[in-house]
């Protein structure tokens, strides 16, 4: 089966945590593309300049009942998004729910190597 275009929405590619896994994803996509087809990748590029010197995290969202903090390992191009939900709907406001999602971010110039 061939497909064109093939889409990778909202940072799906960053769920592969190594460059090798990301390259294999591109290779697999290429095998399924129709002749002259395209692989459309949507992804976010971290704003590392917003990191204060000596800090490895940023508060991305702070609103009632929700806090999102991203922590970075810039050497390995990893970011972990920490999602914290809290408020009266969780045990009368005494508890919090925490979820973490790891990602490997990709620089736009790096994508040229994947093709």
């Amino acid at each position: 089966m061939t497909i064109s275009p093939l889409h990778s929405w909202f940072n799906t590619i960053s769920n592969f945590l190594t460059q090798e896994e990301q390259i294999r994803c591109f290779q697999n996509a290429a095998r399924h593309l129709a002749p002259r087809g395209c692989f459309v990748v949507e992804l976010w590029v971290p704003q590392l300049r917003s990191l204060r010197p000596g800090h490895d995290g940023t508060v991305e969202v702070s609103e009632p009942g929700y806090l999102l903090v991203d922590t970075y390992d810039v050497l390995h191009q990893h970011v972990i998004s920490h999602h914290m939900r809290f408020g009266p709907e969780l045990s009368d406001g005494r508890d919090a729910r925490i979820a973490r999602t790891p990602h490997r971010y990709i620089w736009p110039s790096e994508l040229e190597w994947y093709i």
Side-chain angles (χ1 to χ4, degrees), residues 10-114:
F10 194 67
N11 298 319
T12 303
I13 198 76
S14 70
N15 289 313
F16 295 104
L17 299 179
T18 68
Q19 185 181 53
E20 292 77 22
E21 290 174 330
Q22 291 170 341
I23 290 170
R24 278 196 303 272
C25 177
F26 271 73
Q27 291 168 337
N28 189 43
R31 282 193 293 274
H32 294 283
L33 283 175
R36 301 188 48 80
C38 65
F39 183 29
V40 179
V41 178
E42 175 189 19
L43 66 108
W44 133 106
V45 176
Q47 302 301 311
L48 295 181
R49 291 183 184 164
S50 66
L51 287 175
R52 292 182 16 215
H55 293 82
D56 63 357
T58 58
V59 175
E60 296 296 322
V61 177
S62 177
E63 56 189 40
Y66 179 71
L67 182 65
L68 169 60
V69 176
D70 283 342
T71 55
Y72 294 90
D73 174 348
V74 294
L75 179 62
H76 297 102
Q77 291 176 235
H78 285 168
V79 60
I80 298 177
S81 295
H82 307 266
H83 304 267
M84 291 154 272
R85 298 191 184 282
F86 49 91
E89 67 279 359
L90 295 174
S91 300
D92 298 324
R94 289 180 259 169
D95 289 334
R97 190 175 323 130
I98 300 173
R100 293 177 180 87
T101 55
H103 304 277
R104 180 184 184 274
Y105 52 89
I106 306 169
W107 298 115
S109 59
E110 189 177 358
L111 290 172
E112 294 176 17
W113 290 79
Y114 288 19

